[in-house]
Amino acid sequence: MRLATWNVNSVRARTDRILDWLQRTDTDVLAMQETKCKDEQFPYERFEELGYRVAHVGLSQWNGVAIASRVGLDDVQIGFEDQPGFSKDPEVDPALEARAIGATCAGVRVWSLYVPNGRDLNDPHYTYKLDWLAKLRADAHAWATAAPGQPIALVGDWNVAPTDDDVWDPAFFEGKTHTSQPERDAFHAFADVGYTDVVRPYAPGPGVYTYWDYTQLRFPKKQGMRIDFVLGSPAFAARVTDAEIDRNERKGKGASDHAPVVVDLDL
């Protein structure tokens, strides 16, 4: 089975490109982030024409996550059990955002995740990000403990660069989000409960990235970040036979600012 994750940065703007990529790469399951549309705006029919079923959650023109699968799409769950919400106004109750969706595809439990950005180290969104990651870790630990034989994949845009090798210039990111120690600690804590980065052994760094900002010619200058990951439970990691970051998909007119991350599994 071929599983991929991709922050598509607007599914409606890139439908043709996404579907072409699915066909060319023979991908079975695609987790998408930043779909940037409401449920009723998602182009379901275009995916269904190619044999993919889609589960999507989108509440506005921001965020949005989806899973497209041609090998089954069962037990769909919107949001994880303890997923926190956010409100920039402390007097307004936090609201759940469209940042997590799970489904079982050919026996693999797949979670498409769009981790909060954090914005700034002094912003309430940063505290929200750390809380979001902590709650996800706790739930992911519970899932793996309850069903140790179940392959579980936590995939998506994590908005964390866990090591200095994952950014083009560590000094540039000092004092900013994505590379702060609390964020990195929150990411590495998933390894403490058994989830491993299954792509890195096949795409060693430094200089290997999944995201390049549209500005400042970051892509041609090779000034990127590795912030998109596939973290697998032991049962998932044991089945991985290959992985890659499809950097070429960041090229050309109309590209997302993220590249797809692909994993091959022997099921």
Side-chain angles (χ1 to χ4, degrees):
M1 184 176 88
R2 172 160 284 196
L3 165 69
T5 181
W6 192 2
N7 179 321
V8 295
N9 192 10
S10 177
V11 67
R12 289 180 293 169
R14 275 171 259 286
T15 301
D16 289 342
R17 186 159 185 152
I18 296 166
L19 295 177
D20 177 67
W21 184 85
L22 284 171
Q23 290 180 287
R24 284 189 289 106
T25 59
D26 200 27
T27 295
D28 298 299
V29 180
L30 175 63
M32 290 171 275
Q33 302 84 41
E34 268 202 288
T35 57
K36 292 185 176 180
C37 66
K38 298 179 181 178
D39 287 345
E40 60 269 22
Q41 297 172 315
F42 192 96
Y44 296 99
E45 291 184 1
R46 297 288 307 280
F47 284 80
E48 291 166 357
E49 289 170 358
L50 294 183
Y52 292 87
R53 294 172 58 197
V54 177
H56 174 260
V57 57
L59 305 175
S60 66
Q61 73 272 33
W62 309 112
N63 307 323
V65 285
I67 299 172
S69 171
R70 64 180 186 184
V71 292
L73 192 70
D74 302 312
D75 302 321
V76 173
Q77 180 179 336
I78 295 173
F80 51 92
E81 288 84 350
D82 297 311
Q83 181 177 330
F86 178 71
S87 173
K88 60 183 178 181
D89 185 344
E91 296 185 3
V92 176
D93 289 338
L96 284 180
E97 298 180 315
R99 293 186 175 276
I101 191 167
T104 301
C105 309
V108 177
R109 189 64 177 167
V110 179
W111 279 94
S112 180
L113 306 166
Y114 182 40
V115 176
N117 178 281
R119 299 176 183 167
D120 182 87
L121 298 184
N122 297 314
D123 195 290
H125 208 258
Y126 178 75
T127 303
Y128 165 55
K129 178 179 189 175
L130 296 177
D131 185 37
W132 203 95
L133 285 166
K135 296 290 177 54
L136 173 63
R137 173 187 176 271
D139 283 358
H141 184 208
W143 302 332
T145 301
Q150 167 92 65
I152 304 171
L154 310 177
V155 312
D157 179 354
W158 290 73
N159 272 317
V160 179
T163 74
D164 283 351
D165 280 353
D166 298 317
V167 294
W168 62 274
D169 180 6
F172 178 84
F173 292 95
E174 277 193 35
K176 300 177 182 178
T177 60
H178 293 58
T179 62
S180 72
Q181 197 59 51
E183 291 168 283
R184 288 179 166 180
D185 290 345
F187 182 91
H188 291 306
F190 284 83
D192 296 337
V193 296
Y195 288 85
T196 57
D197 174 2
V198 300
V199 177
R200 196 53 157 179
Y202 299 93
V208 175
Y209 308 125
T210 65
Y211 164 83
W212 301 260
D213 194 286
Y214 286 129
T215 66
Q216 306 295 315
L217 298 174
R218 296 293 187 208
F219 184 67
K221 291 179 180 178
K222 300 181 180 180
Q223 297 175 344
M225 306 174 71
R226 190 172 74 108
I227 57 175
D228 302 84
F229 297 92
V230 176
L231 299 191
S233 67
F236 181 92
R239 292 164 169 78
V240 174
T241 59
D242 199 7
E244 66 173 323
I245 297 166
D246 190 353
R247 186 180 184 276
N248 285 334
E249 200 56 33
R250 176 60 175 81
K251 298 177 180 178
K253 184 178 180 181
S256 170
D257 45 3
H258 293 250
V261 180
V262 186
V263 171
D264 289 320
L265 302 171
D266 184 7
L267 296 180

